[in-house]
Amino acid sequence: MEAPQSLIGKLYNSYSDGLHFAKPISSLRTNEFDLVRNVLQILQGFSSTMLYWDELGHRFRVRSGIYVSHLSHTSLYHVLNQFTYAATCLKMVESRIQEVKKSVRPPPPTLRAFCCSISTWLTWLRNGALKEEMKVVDSCSLTTPTLLGLSSSLSSLCAGAEFLFQVVQEAIPQAYDETDSPISATAIAVHILNYLYKKLTEVCLVQGGEEDAYRMILHAFVSTLLPYIEGLDSWLYEGILDDPFEEMFFHANKRIAVEESEFWEKSYLLRSAKLDTGRVTNSLLSIKQTNDVSRKEPNDVSGLAKEKGANGRDLDLCPLFMKEIARDIISAGKSLQLVQHTRMTSSVSASGRIAGLSLSEIFCVTLSALIGYGDHISEYFLKEKKIVPLVKSFTGRQKVERSNESFQEMTCSDKEWCKFLVDTMAQKGKANHISCHALGEEVDSFVVEGDELALDGNDILSLGFRPENPAITTSQNFLHANRDAWGPLNLSREFFLPPLNDEGLRQAIFNGSAGSFVATKSTNYTFGFQFGESERDRLKEDVTFLEELFPFPTLLPPFQEDDHVSEVFPFQENSTLPSRTLNWIGRVEPRNTPLPTVILQECLIVFIKKQADCIGRNILSKLLSEWRLLEELEVLRAIYLLGSGDLLQHFLTVVFNKLDKGESLDDDFELNTTLQESIRYSADAALLSTPDSLVVSVTRNNAAIEDDQRGMPLPTSTPRKSRGQNFGIDGLDSLMFTYKVPWPLELIANTEAIKKYNQVMRFLLKVRRAKFVLDKARRWMWKDRSSASINRKHHWLLEQKLLHFVDAFHHYVMDRVYHSAWGELCEGLAAARSLDEVIEIHEAYLMSIQRQCFAVPEKLWALIASRINSILGLALDFYSVQQTLSSGGAVSAIKARCEMEINRIEKQFDDCIAFLVRILSFKLNVGQFPHLADLVTRINYNHFYMSHNGSLINAPGSNAVPSKSGKLFAGQRD
């Protein structure tokens, strides 16, 4: 009789159809050992019987229903979830890297280097799981592995997998895979470098157990940065922009040749992009999500979008750590191109190389010293002669005798950066080298005699590193250990086939022909019948010469399965050092974790600045010596600042007389003929290389239109003129003087600079013309000195006022503009360090003389310039009055009209002087611009117009003009 069922039993039966809930399927029962094996397999990227990859869900899943006897379902799945999540992270990383490699457009070098670094870390993490599996298999008979034990031993691997996935997820934008992606290669490179730079800053303050995160980011950052450094190396040391993928932060304008005057400003420009911020942000945030993996959310705004301030604005595509020196880098490369274009020797490029090492090699050595040992060796690299003493200071020394010669043998220290440096310098031919790193075997000696060993031509391996024959480079240990095998490997000894033992065959063939048989007993290919003696000798010489170029050509290098080719074969000009450094970063624990700012400053930026300074010094030396910069600037000064009183004297006299006669200046040929005559017969003609290097043209009012467009005030003329507008004080504004500066100095004195020189020259020509007409008027007045009337004395006083102002202003120009500004220019050029600084100093010089001649489009200078032009125009009007009086102005009506004109001139002069003295004496203006104080001192000489306390002595508009003697000249002004 069956026992009655309990209530719980009845409930079970009603829902389970007779199957008890607590009774699992026996076929799904497993043990921890099998689960451990399955976990280690998925961590290596393989599906297993109990754990499999879900293609739809993009994650590893636990097969439904499995169980172990001693763990509950919840506990088992909780333990397994951490492993499936880590394995999913690694699988997603692998998938993302494969997507990049198989994308429509090939990945640029920076992205490719980043993917290689991630792949390396992926391999290292999975190798950790493989080693753990080997331990489990080997120890299965002794101890039983458990999931909890595996969780403890693989905690760092799981954390590393999660961190690696986060890095890949945030560094590579999903928009890269799109066929119409708006993100350029430059933007991708800048985004990845900026992300790694910021991420390294975050993890550099290492907490306990986070060293792997620092090493992972450091490895990725260094690996990703190396292609950028190689591009900078070719630019800074060769003047070549080697950027086929257009990743660099600047680009070449191929339409501008190096011989053109716009080369410096427009040939190489910073990259900028106009991107749609919303589209970029959405693209960057549309990273593929998975169920469990999605707990790691991407940043709210990724790198590219962060750097965009608003939609449609230009974005400078430059890494954060390069922005401060970006323009210096561009300037250095352009300067190197200029020097190379002028057929200068390559000393500029070679002098910047430190011990013949490339920029990436220096970066790797200094980085390994800083990270691994805290050694700051950049100061030694900056002084190349200290490199060998530096190596010696880290090595032991002992004297050995070999072949009756003394050598200095230095044993490599335990510091890895020292071995890197020694091996690299050996590859560069700086030392006779027995490799410190060849196929995983470390040999701890190298030989140095003095600072550099002379190579022994008798030893086939004296060169050590042979890029043209990699087999020799990789097989040095083998060859040194098997010197007896050199003979059989020798090409010259094994070139010919051995002789054949065919005497019996010959005897059978030539039986009865004794002569032929005696002549040749066997076939000997060395002395065969196909060669004459001379041909055989030449062939042997060719074979010997070929052997010197390619020793042991039949030698096959030995390779192990895990050897990296990049550690054995150098690429282009770089040695195997970058690959070795990256592997070293992955396997050692850093002693220091400095900020990336410190790393870049100590290991990269300081050397970039050194090379930029080296190029700057060389091009400045060439500017001041061979290209004669100062001499050409002196020519410009003599022409446009009227520094040579004799060079344009004849030309200006002719032009002034033509304007005086009312003749127009519209014949370019006539003007240039007069100009060439003036130059040819001048005492300063030697200033110009050829007389026709300076030409003059008539712009036909274009100058005035251009000044008006720039916002510069048009000169204020007097209301009345005796002649047309074109013959007033502005009559010379239509002239444009052009001096052809020889290349490459036209990069400094370009078209814009010549325009500024012309603006200053127009103003100075007005002063020169006013002085010219006042001198001429004074001669007329001197001839008529018999008249001693009060009006005549009035004319003399007004003429003296005008002449005093013009002379004072002329002396101010000669002192401030011609001498002081030139002295400041020379001091600036002496302190300059690059061509960019030279151009800036010259532009500052132009701005200075423009401001001192009041030819800049600013309100203050416009006000002053208008009053000065008015006074210069009044001098021309005064000259017209005196010309009228001296040419027959005896008629009373004419005299009265002339007196009215004199009164008008005097009144306007007093008004202008009062304004100028006030504004020039204003303390704020004088404090900001000291040259204004100099000008007002010259104009207000002996306080003639304004007293010490700032009150005007001669009030404008008065009917009496007091003189210094106290007498009053009555003004008959009606």
Side-chain angles (χ1 to χ4, degrees):
M1 184 176 180
E2 295 182 0
Q5 287 185 330
S6 65
L7 177 61
I8 296 179
K10 293 180 180 180
L11 292 175
Y12 278 154
N13 290 331
S14 64
Y15 286 99
S16 62
D17 195 19
L19 179 66
H20 199 282
F21 272 86
K23 186 177 181 181
I25 302 175
S26 60
S27 61
L28 296 179
R29 180 176 178 177
T30 185
N31 55 58
E32 278 197 83
F33 178 79
D34 291 337
L35 283 176
V36 168
R37 292 286 300 274
N38 280 261
V39 165
L40 292 174
Q41 288 176 9
I42 66 170
L43 288 176
Q44 298 174 56
F46 307 111
S47 294
S48 61
T49 56
M50 302 176 192
L51 306 172
Y52 67 96
W53 175 255
D54 183 4
E55 293 290 347
L56 296 178
H58 297 286
R59 55 169 294 184
F60 277 103
R61 293 185 180 275
V62 181
R63 196 168 299 278
S64 178
I66 64 170
Y67 68 98
V68 291
S69 58
H70 62 284
L71 289 177
S72 66
H73 180 274
T74 303
S75 300
L76 176 62
Y77 275 75
H78 178 75
V79 174
L80 291 178
N81 277 341
Q82 61 177 328
F83 296 116
T84 57
Y85 175 70
T88 301
C89 288
L90 295 179
K91 190 70 174 180
M92 291 294 292
V93 168
E94 180 184 10
S95 300
R96 189 71 184 100
I97 297 302
Q98 291 300 323
E99 289 175 3
V100 172
K101 292 181 179 180
K102 296 178 182 179
S103 59
V104 177
R105 52 176 177 173
T110 301
L111 178 58
R112 186 166 61 246
F114 173 77
C115 292
C116 288
S117 175
I118 297 300
S119 298
T120 300
W121 272 99
L122 180 64
T123 302
W124 287 342
L125 291 174
R126 285 180 169 173
N127 284 344
L130 176 60
K131 293 177 182 178
E132 191 68 25
E133 185 179 10
M134 294 172 64
K135 293 180 182 178
V136 169
V137 173
D138 293 340
S139 62
C140 62
S141 59
L142 301 177
T143 59
T144 302
T146 63
L147 291 174
L148 293 179
L150 189 66
S151 176
S152 176
S153 61
L154 295 184
S155 60
S156 62
L157 188 151
C158 294
E162 183 178 354
F163 187 74
L164 187 66
F165 174 74
Q166 178 189 0
V167 170
V168 174
Q169 183 186 26
E170 297 176 353
I172 305 178
Q174 190 71 25
Y176 175 78
D177 298 328
E178 300 175 4
T179 55
D180 59 343
S181 173
I183 305 179
S184 63
T186 311
I188 290 290
V190 171
H191 169 65
I192 294 176
L193 288 173
N194 286 347
Y195 170 77
L196 294 175
Y197 177 79
K198 296 175 182 176
K199 197 70 175 178
L200 189 59
T201 304
E202 294 176 6
V203 301
C204 68
L205 302 176
V206 178
Q207 303 294 327
E210 295 184 5
E211 292 83 358
D212 287 344
Y214 181 84
R215 288 192 297 122
M216 187 179 295
I217 295 296
L218 179 64
H219 186 281
F221 182 64
V222 172
S223 179
T224 309
L225 186 60
L226 281 174
Y228 233 71
I229 297 177
E230 292 172 6
L232 292 176
D233 182 89
S234 62
W235 174 251
L236 291 172
Y237 292 94
E238 300 173 12
I240 299 174
L241 180 57
D242 186 10
D243 187 24
F245 287 86
E246 299 183 351
E247 278 193 313
M248 297 300 291
F249 56 86
F250 61 98
H251 65 95
N253 184 359
K254 297 181 179 179
R255 295 176 297 178
I256 305 296
V258 68
E259 307 89 0
E260 299 183 22
S261 60
E262 296 179 337
F263 169 78
W264 194 259
E265 296 179 355
K266 300 181 180 180
S267 59
Y268 291 92
L269 306 172
L270 286 170
R271 287 192 188 275
S272 60
K274 211 165 190 177
L275 304 179
D276 182 1
T277 309
R279 181 179 181 185
V280 172
T281 304
N282 293 335
S283 299
L284 292 177
L285 298 184
S286 62
I287 307 287
K288 190 177 295 184
Q289 301 291 310
T290 57
N291 294 333
D292 289 334
V293 178
S294 62
R295 2 178 236 185
K296 285 296 177 183
E297 296 292 340
N299 292 338
D300 292 336
V301 183
S302 294
L304 287 176
K306 282 183 178 179
E307 296 174 10
K308 283 279 295 171
N311 290 338
R313 293 181 57 187
D314 287 339
L315 171 67
D316 289 334
L317 298 178
C318 181
L320 293 173
F321 47 87
M322 291 269 185
K323 286 187 176 180
E324 293 184 0
I325 60 172
R327 297 191 181 277
D328 293 337
I329 291 174
I330 299 175
S331 175
K334 290 190 295 186
S335 299
L336 191 54
Q337 287 189 354
L338 285 177
V339 175
Q340 291 172 343
H341 188 73
T342 54
R343 298 180 181 177
M344 183 179 180
T345 59
S346 60
S347 59
V348 175
S349 175
S351 63
R353 291 281 185 192
I354 300 177
L357 302 178
S358 67
L359 198 59
S360 59
E361 291 166 347
I362 295 173
F363 175 75
C364 290
V365 172
T366 52
L367 174 68
S368 57
L370 179 65
I371 298 297
Y373 309 96
D375 296 335
H376 300 267
I377 62 174
S378 59
E379 57 181 295
Y380 295 95
F381 276 96
L382 294 177
K383 298 178 181 179
E384 184 174 352
K385 294 181 180 179
K386 289 190 175 183
I387 292 182
V388 172
L390 166 68
V391 178
K392 290 180 179 179
S393 66
F394 285 98
T395 59
R397 301 172 177 82
Q398 60 180 353
K399 291 284 185 178
V400 296
E401 298 293 332
R402 292 183 183 175
S403 302
N404 298 325
E405 293 183 8
S406 177
F407 292 84
Q408 178 111 358
E409 184 178 284
M410 305 196 305
T411 304
C412 290
S413 70
D414 294 333
K415 296 195 174 184
E416 196 74 17
W417 69 261
C418 183
K419 299 177 183 178
F420 289 162
L421 176 59
V422 170
D423 274 3
T424 305
M425 292 181 65
Q427 291 180 357
K428 298 291 182 179
K430 295 298 181 182
N432 188 11
H433 172 70
I434 300 175
S435 177
C436 290
H437 186 91
L439 300 176
E441 298 178 14
E442 295 186 357
V443 182
D444 60 353
S445 65
F446 63 94
V447 179
V448 175
E449 181 180 2
D451 287 349
E452 183 174 345
L453 267 183
L455 298 176
D456 182 5
N458 297 323
D459 190 350
I460 219 168
L461 295 179
S462 59
L463 289 176
F465 176 67
R466 286 177 173 252
E468 74 280 358
N469 194 349
I472 298 297
T473 303
T474 59
S475 305
Q476 286 191 27
N477 281 357
F478 171 78
L479 290 172
H480 279 288
N482 299 274
R483 288 180 175 265
D484 296 337
W486 289 15
L489 292 174
N490 193 304
L491 176 66
S492 61
R493 299 180 184 181
E494 305 297 331
F495 183 78
F496 299 105
L497 294 175
L500 294 178
N501 185 14
D502 57 353
E503 295 181 6
L505 180 60
R506 285 177 175 274
Q507 186 176 4
I509 294 175
F510 299 107
N511 188 16
S513 301
S516 300
F517 180 76
V518 172
T520 306
K521 294 183 178 181
S522 63
T523 303
N524 191 332
Y525 289 98
T526 306
F527 303 98
F529 49 83
Q530 72 270 36
F531 295 118
E533 184 176 355
S534 61
E535 294 177 351
R536 178 172 55 83
D537 292 340
R538 284 197 298 270
L539 180 61
K540 290 185 65 176
E541 291 178 359
D542 293 342
V543 171
T544 304
F545 180 69
L546 184 63
E547 184 183 49
E548 292 180 0
L549 290 177
F550 300 100
F552 309 142
T554 59
L555 178 66
L556 295 178
F559 276 109
Q560 301 297 327
E561 182 179 356
D562 295 332
D563 284 339
H564 294 278
V565 177
S566 59
E567 290 193 32
V568 181
F569 295 158
F571 297 99
Q572 298 178 355
E573 294 184 358
N574 292 322
S575 65
T576 60
L577 180 60
S579 178
R580 293 170 57 188
T581 304
L582 290 173
N583 289 334
W584 173 81
I585 292 174
R587 73 172 186 267
V588 301
E589 293 186 4
R591 181 176 300 180
N592 299 292
T593 56
L595 287 165
T597 306
V598 177
I599 293 175
L600 292 170
Q601 179 64 35
E602 189 84 13
C603 305
L604 179 62
I605 294 177
V606 65
F607 300 106
I608 292 178
K609 290 182 177 179
K610 179 182 183 296
Q611 175 63 2
D613 291 342
C614 177
I615 296 174
R617 287 193 303 270
N618 278 274
I619 197 170
L620 285 177
S621 175
K622 200 168 182 65
L623 277 171
L624 298 177
S625 57
E626 184 178 341
W627 295 341
R628 303 174 67 250
L629 172 62
L630 283 177
E631 288 80 353
E632 290 298 326
L633 291 179
E634 285 180 349
V635 173
L636 294 174
R637 175 174 172 239
I639 295 172
Y640 292 100
L641 301 188
L642 307 180
S644 173
D646 189 52
L647 190 65
L648 300 178
Q649 180 63 36
H650 173 67
F651 174 79
L652 293 179
T653 301
V654 172
V655 170
F656 291 161
N657 287 331
K658 288 174 69 68
L659 293 176
D660 188 32
K661 296 175 184 178
E663 300 178 8
S664 61
L665 304 176
D666 55 1
D667 191 343
D668 290 354
F669 177 78
E670 182 182 356
L671 288 174
N672 279 286
T673 302
T674 306
L675 179 62
Q676 301 309 317
E677 291 178 355
S678 178
I679 295 174
R680 188 175 298 109
Y681 299 112
S682 170
D684 296 329
L687 286 174
L688 275 65
S689 56
T690 57
D692 58 352
S693 59
L694 177 64
V695 297
V696 61
S697 59
V698 180
T699 59
R700 293 171 179 83
N701 295 329
N702 288 341
I705 295 175
E706 178 182 327
D707 290 345
D708 186 50
Q709 290 174 347
R710 290 171 175 263
M712 295 183 60
L714 294 175
T716 303
S717 301
T718 55
R720 302 180 185 182
K721 289 185 175 62
S722 59
R723 294 175 175 86
Q725 178 72 20
N726 290 336
F727 311 114
I729 197 62
D730 303 327
L732 295 174
D733 285 355
S734 61
L735 299 183
M736 172 70 73
F737 291 85
T738 304
Y739 175 71
K740 180 60 178 177
V741 181
W743 189 92
L745 297 183
E746 62 180 348
L747 301 176
I748 301 172
N750 53 19
T751 305
E752 288 298 321
I754 296 299
K755 289 180 181 179
K756 294 178 181 179
Y757 274 115
N758 270 281
Q759 291 174 2
V760 175
M761 189 179 187
R762 292 190 197 107
F763 184 79
L764 297 181
L765 286 178
K766 294 175 184 178
V767 179
R768 177 69 68 87
R769 189 183 179 197
K771 184 174 176 59
F772 176 82
V773 297
L774 287 176
D775 289 341
K776 201 171 182 180
R778 182 169 51 181
R779 287 195 296 271
W780 289 334
M781 294 172 66
W782 185 256
K783 292 179 182 179
D784 196 26
R785 62 183 182 276
S786 58
S787 175
S789 63
I790 295 179
N791 290 340
R792 180 59 59 183
K793 294 179 180 179
H794 182 206
H795 292 188
W796 275 104
L797 179 59
L798 179 58
E799 190 270 343
Q800 286 299 315
K801 286 182 177 181
L802 291 170
L803 187 61
H804 166 72
F805 177 85
V806 173
D807 284 341
F809 198 84
H810 181 260
H811 288 302
Y812 156 80
V813 168
M814 294 302 294
D815 182 36
R816 279 286 175 177
V817 179
Y818 191 76
H819 294 292
S820 297
W822 176 258
E824 295 172 0
L825 173 65
C826 293
E827 292 177 2
L829 292 178
R833 299 184 302 168
S834 65
L835 184 54
D836 264 334
E837 292 188 11
V838 170
I839 294 175
E840 291 175 1
I841 291 168
H842 182 250
E843 290 178 350
Y845 165 72
L846 285 176
M847 179 58 69
S848 175
I849 61 176
Q850 278 187 293
R851 181 173 284 118
Q852 291 170 7
C853 290
F854 310 102
V856 290
E858 298 175 7
K859 185 175 181 180
L860 173 63
W861 313 109
L863 291 173
I864 298 174
S866 65
R867 297 310 190 275
I868 294 175
N869 286 326
S870 296
I871 294 176
L872 298 178
L874 291 174
L876 201 61
D877 291 345
F878 180 82
Y879 164 76
S880 300
V881 172
Q882 296 303 320
Q883 186 181 32
T884 302
L885 292 174
S886 64
S887 61
V891 181
S892 60
I894 296 178
K895 286 187 176 181
R897 196 178 304 116
C898 288
E899 288 302 320
M900 293 176 62
E901 187 69 12
I902 290 295
N903 292 339
R904 180 191 66 80
I905 293 172
E906 184 179 27
K907 182 178 183 303
Q908 288 191 0
F909 176 80
D910 291 342
D911 290 339
C912 292
I913 283 293
F915 177 84
L916 284 176
V917 172
R918 283 195 186 99
I919 196 169
L920 293 176
S921 301
F922 190 55
K923 292 183 180 181
L924 178 61
N925 294 334
V926 174
Q928 289 180 339
F929 310 105
H931 64 276
L932 297 182
D934 183 27
L935 179 58
V936 75
T937 301
R938 293 178 184 274
I939 295 175
N940 191 34
Y941 186 72
N942 284 339
H943 299 283
F944 184 82
Y945 297 108
M946 179 179 285
S947 63
H948 289 284
N949 57 11
S951 58
L952 292 174
I953 296 177
N954 299 322
S958 63
N959 293 330
V961 182
S963 68
K964 279 295 180 180
S965 61
K967 298 180 179 179
L968 297 177
F969 294 97
Q972 299 177 359
R973 312 256 172 117
D974 297 331

